[in-house]
Amino acid sequence: MGKKKNKNKKRTRKQNKKQIKDNYSFKEMDMTFKGAHDFQQLYLLAKEFGFREPKFEEAFQQFEESYNQYKVLKIIPDRFNHFFAKKGWIAFENLNFPLMEKCVKLAEQGNPNEAEDALIEYFTNREQVNFLANRLMALKEFQPRRTLMLNALEDHFSGRYHASVPLFLMMIDGFVNDFEHIGFFAENVELTVWDTIAAHDSGLGAITKIFGKSRKKTTDEEVELPYRNGILHGRDLGYANVKVSSKALSTLLALRDWADAIKAGKKGIDKEFVPPSFEETMTQVASSLEQYQENQKQKEHMNNWVKRDLTVGEDLPEKGEVSDYSENTPERALIEFHYYLLEKNYGKMAKMVSKHFTKDKTVGKLAGELREIFIGKKLVGFKLVNVYDNAPAISEIEMLLEFEREEEHTIYEIVHKFRLSYEDENGETVVRGYKEAEWRIMMLSLQELEYSHIRKGS
């Protein structure tokens, strides 16, 4: 009888376990859509008495489309963790959503191995990983590990998994320790954070138990999970493969979202969602409709945007004064940035860096990071090569840069691609020309120059 009671208790606890879709923010969004639906019913009633507003009808249509998208977005993280957490992959806020959706569909169709191949392809793609890694390295708490991270990434992309895996595991453990004063793999570590995806019970909380599993037998058989104890204690000798390295890297990158939640004060909160009153809901819906109208204006401006087809040397000079370039263009901003670099004016340069992932950094802090990037090399010349308007708010510009190695007094050249975004004063991306904003250089495209003087030959 006692055993049956215990089994029932376990079953009830499992049933009551909250999923990601039960998060506070999802409940809040549920209520917003419900409010929009209620508002729509009031409008339909008003139409019966002759009131008609075309803008409302368009807005309600858009809300319906958004709601259908939201319903998918809401369930994917839970489905993803259901299929892949035990395999060493978890959903997190900044993981590519179409990738997660694709993997869930493949798993539901009975093709989990194909889904894992897609995940490995993603986490061995330099461009995709660099985006996430740059977010992580931008945190001041991670800064001491930046050089180690760059080395580990280079090992990972070069197939030196015997080196990348232990480094990723050590950084996972140490980074968490800096926040919690206890390591990621410690038996009593508590990684769950309120209203999150990465730090949900089914996410990092599940992964730490899997990766931290005791491994008491020495074996050279290939493993598919980055078992911390087996690898760092020299028991799991068959760890050096792309699957293990990619899973360890994925977990490390997910910790940025976990850290953001802790820094936002979410740790220790256990707040339940309380539905707002009808009046509060209507106010929220009205605000959402206003935001929708603003988004529509920007979308209309975006649709009218025409990509420039520029030829360097014909439409604009390859090298000139700042005033030789049209105002409020990405090429003018980048030329101005490089004139500041010639003068080693890192403070002015820092003010021209994108605020994406650097909002919590002062100009002085950014100036110091820029100075570190250009240590050991001095810019002596530059010129434009190509200008690409990739999107309404994004441009990429190739430049030929000429540097002098300061210790050896030797010259080397490199063609480098810079990425710029059009941002307002809050660092939000804006469609070019929609409202007053500035072109700023993405930090990652600058950080990629740090070891150029080592990579390039004379």
Side-chain angles (χ1 to χ4, degrees), residues 405-422:
R405 295 183 182 89
E406 293 184 326
E407 284 189 9
E408 305 169 16
H409 300 292
T410 56
I411 301 294
Y412 71 95
E413 291 183 343
I414 180 173
V415 175
H416 186 70
K417 184 180 286 185
F418 294 90
R419 189 173 176 86
L420 295 89
S421 63
Y422 197 55

Side-chain angles (χ1 to χ4, degrees), residues 27-267:
K27 293 288 186 185
E28 205 169 35
M29 189 62 73
D30 288 342
M31 189 55 61
T32 298
F33 279 112
K34 182 181 182 303
H37 176 74
D38 292 343
F39 195 70
Q40 184 179 26
Q41 296 307 305
L42 286 174
Y43 174 68
L44 292 174
L45 180 63
K47 279 178 69 176
E48 297 292 324
F49 294 92
F51 177 79
R52 182 180 293 274
E53 175 52 67
K55 286 185 178 178
F56 278 0
E57 294 188 9
E58 186 183 356
F60 289 134
Q61 182 181 349
Q62 291 290 331
F63 260 107
E64 195 63 37
E65 292 173 5
S66 297
Y67 181 56
N68 290 332
Q69 294 170 357
Y70 165 71
K71 286 191 293 186
V72 175
L73 183 149
K74 180 181 173 181
I75 64 170
I76 289 297
D78 284 315
R79 297 296 290 158
F80 186 89
N81 285 353
H82 169 74
F83 287 116
F84 300 107
K86 57 183 175 290
K87 295 178 179 291
W89 312 98
I90 60 166
F92 56 96
E93 283 79 352
N94 277 280
L95 181 57
N96 182 278
F97 182 80
L99 172 69
M100 287 195 287
E101 187 177 19
K102 174 185 176 181
C103 291
V104 167
K105 286 180 180 178
L106 285 169
E108 288 174 340
Q109 293 165 2
N111 299 310
N113 292 338
E114 192 175 335
E116 282 208 83
D117 289 341
L119 287 163
I120 291 169
E121 182 181 352
Y122 181 86
F123 283 102
T124 51
N125 181 302
R126 277 184 185 268
E127 187 175 348
Q128 302 284 9
V129 169
N130 281 344
F131 169 76
L132 295 170
N134 189 48
R135 293 185 70 252
L136 181 61
M137 292 188 289
L139 278 178
K140 68 176 182 179
E141 291 85 357
F142 198 84
Q143 283 291 306
R145 300 176 179 84
R146 186 168 178 275
T147 299
L148 198 62
M149 180 67 168
L150 290 171
N151 290 335
L153 287 173
E154 194 57 43
D155 289 333
H156 175 71
F157 293 131
S158 300
R160 295 188 292 269
Y161 307 122
H162 64 281
S164 62
V165 173
L167 290 177
F168 289 146
L169 290 173
M170 286 189 287
M171 285 188 283
I172 288 170
D173 212 16
F175 182 58
V176 169
N177 214 322
D178 285 349
F179 278 89
E180 298 293 305
H181 306 295
I182 187 172
F184 180 88
F185 301 100
E187 192 173 332
N188 57 338
V189 68
E190 179 52 67
L191 295 170
T192 302
V193 181
W194 173 79
D195 197 33
T196 60
I197 295 176
H200 188 267
D201 282 337
S202 64
L204 290 171
I207 283 292
T208 183
K209 293 180 176 64
I210 296 169
F211 290 1
K213 185 179 177 183
S214 177
R215 307 287 286 177
K216 297 181 179 179
K217 182 181 177 182
T218 300
T219 174
D220 60 359
E221 291 183 8
E222 185 172 88
V223 295
E224 295 190 349
L225 287 163
Y227 297 115
R228 183 261 184 190
N229 295 323
I231 294 168
L232 297 187
H233 294 167
R235 293 293 181 87
D236 282 310
L237 306 179
Y239 71 86
N241 60 72
V242 65
K243 187 174 283 189
V244 171
S245 189
S246 297
K247 290 175 181 180
L249 173 58
S250 171
T251 299
L252 177 58
L253 296 174
L255 287 174
R256 166 67 203 240
D257 291 326
W258 167 81
D260 283 345
I262 290 179
K263 288 163 77 82
K266 289 186 174 184
K267 181 79 172 181

Side-chain angles (χ1 to χ4, degrees), residues 424-440:
D424 63 18
E425 67 276 6
N426 298 317
E428 298 299 324
T429 303
V430 177
V431 177
R432 65 185 84 197
Y434 178 69
K435 67 176 184 179
E436 187 175 345
E438 294 180 347
W439 284 100
R440 297 176 179 274

Side-chain angles (χ1 to χ4, degrees), residues 235-446:
R235 293 293 181 87
D236 282 310
L237 306 179
Y239 71 86
N241 60 72
V242 65
K243 187 174 283 189
V244 171
S245 189
S246 297
K247 290 175 181 180
L249 173 58
S250 171
T251 299
L252 177 58
L253 296 174
L255 287 174
R256 166 67 203 240
D257 291 326
W258 167 81
D260 283 345
I262 290 179
K263 288 163 77 82
K266 289 186 174 184
K267 181 79 172 181
I269 294 178
D270 190 20
K271 183 179 175 183
E272 293 291 336
F273 179 75
V274 178
S277 66
F278 179 78
E279 291 79 8
E280 290 171 332
T281 301
M282 290 300 104
T283 300
Q284 186 178 0
V285 170
S287 175
S288 297
L289 286 171
E290 287 178 13
Q291 184 60 50
Y292 161 75
Q293 290 175 339
E294 172 66 19
N295 291 344
Q296 284 300 102
K297 287 180 185 176
Q298 188 164 177
K299 184 178 180 181
E300 184 178 343
H301 190 87
M302 185 186 301
N303 291 337
N304 293 330
W305 171 71
V306 179
K307 178 181 177 180
R308 299 177 304 163
D309 187 12
L310 300 174
T311 300
V312 175
E314 295 180 12
D315 301 305
L316 68 169
E318 63 178 18
K319 175 69 184 293
E321 298 299 320
V322 174
S323 58
D324 294 333
Y325 299 87
S326 299
E327 290 187 5
N328 211 23
T329 58
E331 56 271 17
R332 178 173 175 138
L334 194 58
I335 290 292
E336 183 178 4
F337 181 89
H338 280 84
Y339 273 114
Y340 288 140
L341 180 54
L342 282 175
E343 301 167 2
K344 296 192 174 182
N345 191 334
Y346 298 109
K348 292 280 190 182
M349 291 163 62
K351 292 178 181 178
M352 299 185 72
V353 170
S354 168
K355 292 184 179 180
H356 289 303
F357 319 130
T358 63
K359 288 181 181 179
D360 59 341
K361 295 184 180 180
T362 64
V363 170
K365 175 69 174 173
L366 280 173
E369 291 182 15
L370 289 169
R371 185 178 291 107
E372 184 179 335
I373 288 171
F374 293 102
I375 282 178
K377 50 191 172 292
K378 176 184 176 183
L379 183 68
V380 294
F382 59 89
K383 61 182 180 181
L384 294 177
V385 177
N386 287 302
V387 177
Y388 306 101
D389 287 347
N390 293 349
I394 299 291
S395 284
E396 290 185 329
I397 300 177
E398 286 181 332
M399 294 190 77
L400 177 64
L401 306 176
E402 186 179 0
F403 286 103
E404 177 187 351
R405 295 183 182 89
E406 293 184 326
E407 284 189 9
E408 305 169 16
H409 300 292
T410 56
I411 301 294
Y412 71 95
E413 291 183 343
I414 180 173
V415 175
H416 186 70
K417 184 180 286 185
F418 294 90
R419 189 173 176 86
L420 295 89
S421 63
Y422 197 55
E423 303 173 10
D424 63 18
E425 67 276 6
N426 298 317
E428 298 299 324
T429 303
V430 177
V431 177
R432 65 185 84 197
Y434 178 69
K435 67 176 184 179
E436 187 175 345
E438 294 180 347
W439 284 100
R440 297 176 179 274
I441 298 98
M442 301 293 281
M443 190 63 171
L444 177 60
S445 63
L446 295 169

